[in-house]
Amino acid sequence: MLARLFPDALIATEEDAAAFGLNAVGDGRNVLLPQAAVGLFDPLREQGFNQWAWT
């Protein structure tokens, strides 16, 4: 059901979640997320977001 409601949603891996990747903050165009959440960078870029990482 969630995939139907949110077809463009990113799927975070367990590793990204453990790296606090789910604590990302965005303004609709830019996303600030932990540098260790490496699995989220490419999917965000593919959807047109600018990524900024913190360590």
Side-chain angles (χ1 to χ4, degrees):
M1 179 171 171
L2 288 177
R4 215 176 24 178
L5 292 172
F6 304 101
D8 295 329
L10 300 179
I11 305 300
T13 64
E14 190 171 327
E15 291 81 13
D16 292 327
F20 299 101
L22 301 180
N23 289 348
V25 178
D27 65 1
R29 185 75 179 142
N30 301 289
V31 179
L32 177 67
L33 67 160
Q35 187 174 10
V38 295
L40 296 176
F41 282 91
D42 285 339
L44 285 166
R45 188 176 305 110
E46 290 169 4
Q47 290 194 13
F49 291 96
N50 299 316
Q51 306 97 32
W52 303 91
W54 78 79
T55 56

